[in-house]
Amino acid sequence: MAEGRPVNSYSGENLLFLTDEQLRQGIEAMFFAYRGFTADPDRILAGMAYGRAHHRAVHFINRAPGTTVNNLLNILGVTKQSLNRVLRTLIEDGLVESKVGKADRRERHLFLTDEGKALEQTLSDAQRARMRMAFRDAGPDAVAGFRTVLEAMMDKDMRRAFAQLRGNTT
Amino acid sequence: MAEGRPVNSYSGENLLFLTDEQLRQGIEAMFFAYRGFTADPDRILAGMAYGRAHHRAVHFINRAPGTTVNNLLNILGVTKQSLNRVLRTLIEDGLVESKVGKADRRERHLFLTDEGKALEQTLSDAQRARMRMAFRDAGPDAVAGFRTVLEAMMDKDMRRAFAQLRGNTT
DNA sequence: CAGCATACGTCAGCGTTGTTGACATTCCAA
DNA sequence: TTGGAATGTCAACAACGCTGACGTATGCTG
């Protein structure tokens, strides 16, 4: 890369801080940070017969108890076959309970059993511990910026899902 | 979740902004944002016989031309067998060139061919476009916070690798 | 009621990408 | 010269995405 003026592939932009180099650093930061983000739960899951997909399912069922399969499908952004494989093992192992809907009997509402809650707790404790350290080290202002950028990086649909989940409890 | 005082599973912490709810929102933000982060290159790669692993390899070879296989292994954090499979197809297809080291002839130094550079450009253009939008929408202060938190979230080794790459050009 | 749509489950097959384990080759360095 | 490091490769496997097809139960609508 040549020295001199910062390179910006998006000419006409008057925001000088958006050099290609800055953007690439952001990209690499996302890559390395996501590795750290998943490392601790992955380590825990490695021992069991579960993987990251199980973690995600358990997380969001815990987050929105009674959610339907279809809803979960939209949040996770995978096919029903892919989710079903995960869900089936979780139900067989007694971590998740599937209840027929009252209003619409076609729907299945998903809940964590006590055992499922225990696993969720274990996994999210590990993940939260890292997040807490990072947030603490970075400070409240940085955390606000972090959240702002991440939200701007999401697809529109995901931003909606995120906001909806956020509104669930806040 | 009960109402009242914010829950904080890490008692004794005097930083009130680190409630479990805040942490969980951070976790979910990472999940959804990472999906967006990879969506565009994934779409491009879906057509070809390549995947995300090829993207990563091409990215870091472009970032540090002449890097050795071992070095790349450490950055990517996968096994040599896994990387080799990807690297082999890239070399066969003429996107990557592998040169025997001069100082140490056991080492292979990796370079992108023109064709490889073209692919890297295409992929990183797409990814940068999203990053640029997010950065622009969020503003410089938020971007600084974003970077700070991400760096704090990395494993120590990854932070080192990240810093080293950053120092490469900055 | 008939017909269509929706929600869910499942079977079969496939691709990418990660893993372990084992082994060969090349080559630097003590 | 010999031990070990760096690399490449084969085989087998698991997790987790995908498509396509099909079946069942249920709900809605004309």
Side-chain angles (χ1 to χ4, degrees), chain A residues 2-20:
Chain A
E3 59 257 84
R5 290 217 340 283
V7 178
N8 191 327
S9 65
Y10 191 63
S11 308
E13 187 58 75
N14 63 350
L15 298 168
L16 203 61
F17 78 99
L18 292 183
T19 61
D20 281 3

Side-chain angles (χ1 to χ4, degrees), chain B residues 115-147:
Chain B
E115 201 183 340
K117 283 177 193 165
L119 176 61
E120 198 283 331
Q121 191 69 30
T122 303
L123 294 172
S124 84
D125 277 355
Q127 199 158 41
R128 268 204 302 267
R130 182 181 292 254
M131 194 63 77
R132 186 181 298 112
M133 294 269 276
F135 278 14
R136 182 171 53 72
D137 289 357
D141 292 350
V143 169
F146 164 78
R147 291 257 321 253

Side-chain angles (χ1 to χ4, degrees), chain B residues 51-127:
Chain B
R52 207 177 284 180
H54 299 84
H55 179 192
R56 290 200 278 260
V58 164
H59 173 97
F60 285 109
I61 294 173
N62 175 70
R63 185 70 158 116
T67 186
T68 63
V69 173
N70 220 4
N71 191 6
L72 198 52
L73 234 41
N74 290 328
I75 288 175
L76 295 176
V78 298
T79 59
K80 63 174 177 172
Q81 293 90 331
S82 207
L83 175 59
N84 189 258
R85 181 169 36 199
V86 165
L87 229 37
R88 200 189 326 164
T89 69
L90 290 172
I91 291 172
E92 278 170 4
D93 295 352
L95 301 187
V96 168
E97 204 179 353
S98 166
K99 290 182 183 166
V100 174
K102 284 185 178 175
D104 185 337
R105 290 174 49 81
R106 288 170 305 180
E107 294 179 339
R108 300 301 136 91
H109 297 277
L110 303 169
F111 301 87
L112 293 185
T113 64
D114 287 347
E115 201 183 340
K117 283 177 193 165
L119 176 61
E120 198 283 331
Q121 191 69 30
T122 303
L123 294 172
S124 84
D125 277 355
Q127 199 158 41

Side-chain angles (χ1 to χ4, degrees), chain A residues 54-108:
Chain A
H54 299 85
H55 179 195
R56 291 200 277 259
V58 164
H59 173 95
F60 284 108
I61 294 173
N62 175 70
R63 184 70 156 116
T67 187
T68 64
V69 172
N70 224 358
N71 191 4
L72 196 53
L73 234 42
N74 289 329
I75 288 175
L76 295 175
V78 297
T79 60
K80 65 172 176 174
Q81 294 92 329
S82 209
L83 176 58
N84 189 258
R85 182 168 37 197
V86 165
L87 227 39
R88 199 189 328 168
T89 68
L90 289 173
I91 291 171
E92 278 172 3
D93 296 352
L95 301 187
V96 168
E97 204 178 352
S98 165
K99 290 183 183 166
V100 173
K102 283 185 178 175
D104 186 337
R105 290 175 48 82
R106 290 172 304 180
E107 295 179 338
R108 300 300 135 91

